[in-house]
Amino acid sequence: MALVPYEESMEIGLQKFHKPRATFSFANHTIQIHQDWRQLGVAAVVWDAAIVLSTYLEMGAVELRGCSAVELGAGTGLVGIVAALLGAHVTITDRQVALEFLKSNVEANLPSHIQPKVVVKELTWGQNLESFSPGEFDLILGADVIYLEDTFTDLLKTLEHLCSSRSVILLACRIRYERDNNFLMMLERQFAVSKVHYDPEKDVHIYKAQKRDQREDL
């Protein structure tokens, strides 16, 4: 989803995003992520929220072995790759224009015995949801997907479709603008939301959300 460039002024200090490769160590694996700012902009670089969410998963905050997970607006695919290395069956999604780039990072970083547990699939929020079964996933992951106000309604619609009463949503984000808080307020109308982690160095929050028990609303 992260395909709309930020204003030019925001490119100041973002030189690390112009590097062709970013290297990380997660789940006892070295992960080398190809970046392509010139072709795909913000969709093709690793943002801090993805690093913080990957670290949170590695900490064992949720049980991933055998878990059915989906990453939304995956961009480079780092979070989905880490979830797969930690034992989850993962569907890694983004818009059609980013899929080949996403797939190349996934294939380059997952051992052959893990690759069958991972699917790279198109998902434009609010659209083509019929290609996903309602409540299909145990875990929904999103890193830095809360920033473009025009997508908020479609993102909520997508979360509602993908979640069952047992599903857990983990969203990692930096609160940059008032609109980011507005999304969290929208989320709280449909889900029980709590902040479960904060990285002060990177100024990234992780929020956990689950569908509200209908009895709570009676």
Side-chain angles (χ1 to χ4, degrees):
M1 287 299 295
L3 296 175
V4 178
Y6 286 98
E7 295 87 351
E8 286 186 16
S9 60
M10 295 193 66
E11 292 190 18
I12 298 173
L14 300 183
Q15 291 88 349
K16 65 179 180 178
F17 296 141
H18 293 268
K19 293 181 179 179
R21 203 166 293 276
T23 303
F24 306 94
S25 179
F26 286 108
N28 297 316
H29 285 75
T30 297
I31 301 172
Q32 290 196 326
I33 297 292
H34 175 57
Q35 301 190 126
D36 195 346
W37 176 278
R38 292 186 181 277
Q39 291 297 316
L40 291 170
V42 296
V45 294
V46 178
W47 294 88
D48 284 343
I51 300 170
V52 173
L53 184 52
S54 296
T55 302
Y56 184 73
L57 294 178
E58 188 178 44
M59 288 164 53
V62 293
E63 178 54 57
L64 289 171
R65 291 199 175 278
C67 167
S68 173
V70 61
E71 183 184 4
L72 304 181
T76 64
L78 176 63
V79 173
I81 289 167
V82 172
L85 290 171
L86 291 169
H89 297 258
V90 189
T91 300
I92 307 179
T93 70
D94 211 318
R95 293 170 61 184
Q96 180 65 44
V97 68
L99 286 191
E100 285 304 314
F101 171 79
L102 173 57
K103 189 178 295 185
S104 69
N105 270 324
V106 170
E107 292 176 349
N109 285 288
L110 289 179
S112 58
H113 69 282
I114 292 179
Q115 289 196 21
K117 298 180 180 180
V118 177
V119 174
V120 175
K121 188 171 180 179
E122 178 188 4
L123 175 56
T124 298
W125 302 339
Q127 301 177 29
N128 71 308
L129 294 178
E130 65 279 356
S131 64
F132 296 85
S133 300
E136 182 175 347
F137 299 100
D138 303 315
L139 180 64
I140 293 89
L141 302 167
D144 236 343
V145 296
I146 305 168
Y147 71 91
L148 199 59
E149 196 165 13
D150 289 346
T151 68
F152 287 176
T153 298
D154 288 334
L155 177 54
L156 284 170
K157 181 179 178 182
T158 301
L159 292 172
E160 177 72 25
H161 179 83
L162 297 176
C163 284
S164 71
S165 59
R166 299 177 301 278
S167 303
V168 172
I169 301 167
L170 292 176
L171 299 177
C173 63
R174 182 175 289 161
I175 303 299
R176 299 180 177 91
Y177 307 106
E178 184 59 31
R179 63 176 180 256
D180 303 332
N181 283 316
N182 291 342
F183 175 81
L184 293 173
M185 288 175 23
M186 294 168 66
L187 186 67
E188 286 176 344
R189 295 186 195 126
Q190 297 175 242
F191 298 88
V193 180
S194 60
K195 183 164 71 173
V196 293
H197 183 72
Y198 176 65
D199 184 317
E201 180 182 346
K202 297 186 184 304
D203 190 25
V204 170
H205 307 257
I206 298 179
Y207 294 92
K208 175 182 177 181
Q210 291 179 280
K211 277 191 174 178
R212 290 186 179 278
D213 187 327
Q214 291 182 345
R215 290 171 295 181
E216 296 179 6
D217 299 324
L218 295 179

